[in-house]
Amino acid sequence: MARKVGIIGMGNVGAAVAHQMIVTGLVDELILFDEREEKLQADALDFQDAMNNLGHFTKVRTNDFAGLKDADVVISALGDISLSAKPPYDRFGELKRNHDQFDVYGPKLKEMGFDEVLVVITNPNDAIATIYQEKSGLAKEKVIGTGTLLDTARLHRAVGKFFDVDPRSVQGYALGEHGESQFTAWSTVKVLDQPITDLLADQPDLNLDDLEEETRQGGYTVIFGKYYTNYGIAAAACRLTAAIINDAHALLPVSNYREEYQGYLSYPAVVGRQGIIKQVKLALTPEEEAKLQHSADEVKRKAHLEIGSDND
């Protein structure tokens, strides 16, 4: 059975996701969407020109909503990073614009009868995942945000750099909002299978607060250098998509609806063909539980302020 994915939004992120999927042969068919027809057709032709020199063939189509009816995954890569990449550097700066854009695409997904998994890259990720779930009519387990999957990768990079090990030798999670109130759950972090908290006594230069700040600010370091981020989030989105279409039942820190917090936020969950297959419960410290509740509250508070101000 052909693996088909739709990508809505062909900016820096959407194009990077499409490129990685084509180069790795992750999907058999891509349907790309963007309101900028000239840019969209240019990307599609560029991808098709690449096929002859790749080891995989991917069928590429554009703005074909009817084709989404039997897509395995639809990815929202809508966004305008210029709205959040300025003081006070908050991803919620994109909320109104991205909320309004999905008002265009959401009804079309419903009309086409799309009933598989919607992967949300769009920021502010947790709030937008909530809005998309409501507007698409999809079950909560079928709407998943990339959440702190990227922030967790940044955490692993920072810790791996300190200990001079491959970041894939680091375990543990950044949790909560994909934004300012995210935090590192240090009780979950291991280096070469050793709890990082056990290594503190032997590492006088190890400062967990500094590593956490480096994790939180990693995205802005990239933005200040080139005015957008794309490769890291594209890799996260492709990993999440692969877990879905391969029915991998992979444990990933993604933004998913948590009943106890009455909303979306990042917390490890098992991901497979039907979206969120199972939610897990981490053995967090009381301090970490409090930070998670604070993060959930912040997502709802800021979303209410932004959306509420639009209705004033």
Side-chain angles (χ1 to χ4, degrees), residues 3 12 16 23 44 62 69 126 148 225 276 278 284:
R3 300 160 298 170
N12 293 313
V23 169
T62 60
K69 182 176 177 59
D126 310 282
T148 58
I276 301 298
K278 181 182 179 181
L284 301 177

Side-chain angles (χ1 to χ4, degrees), residues 232-253:
I233 187 57
C238 288
R239 183 183 180 190
L240 175 53
T241 301
I244 295 165
I245 62 178
N246 294 327
D247 198 23
H249 289 218
L251 184 65
L252 301 173

Side-chain angles (χ1 to χ4, degrees), residues 17-160:
V17 172
H19 179 255
Q20 183 167 328
M21 288 184 172
I22 289 169
V23 169
T24 60
L26 177 60
V27 299
D28 301 302
E29 185 173 350
L30 273 176
I31 309 178
L32 311 177
F33 297 85
D34 202 285
E35 295 176 344
R36 300 165 299 171
E37 186 68 27
E38 189 172 0
K39 165 70 163 61
L40 180 65
Q41 297 306 327
D43 275 333
L45 184 58
D46 211 3
F47 291 144
Q48 290 163 352
D49 286 344
M51 300 294 178
N52 194 62
N53 292 310
L54 297 176
H56 314 277
F57 177 79
T58 305
K59 185 176 183 180
V60 178
R61 293 152 61 187
T62 60
N63 283 341
D64 178 12
F65 279 99
L68 293 181
K69 182 176 177 59
D70 60 346
D72 300 295
V73 176
V74 170
I75 299 172
S76 170
L78 295 167
D80 183 353
I81 201 166
S82 68
L83 298 175
S84 57
K86 55 187 177 182
Y89 310 117
D90 192 334
R91 293 175 178 89
F92 268 82
E94 296 185 63
L95 180 59
K96 184 182 185 305
R97 188 262 188 190
N98 294 335
H99 173 282
D100 292 347
Q101 276 221 311
F102 196 70
D103 278 340
V104 175
Y105 291 101
K108 291 183 178 180
L109 285 176
K110 272 187 175 181
E111 181 184 338
M112 290 303 108
F114 176 73
D115 193 36
E116 295 303 323
V117 183
L118 178 61
V119 168
V120 181
I121 302 174
T122 301
N123 280 322
N125 197 248
D126 310 282
I128 289 292
T130 302
I131 293 166
Y132 279 19
Q133 189 276 318
E134 292 172 352
K135 289 183 177 291
S136 69
L138 292 168
K140 292 183 175 70
E141 63 270 17
K142 288 193 171 186
V143 178
I144 309 174
T146 46
T148 58
L149 186 55
L150 174 57
D151 304 292
T152 293
R154 289 170 175 156
L155 166 66
H156 292 182
R157 170 188 49 77
V159 174

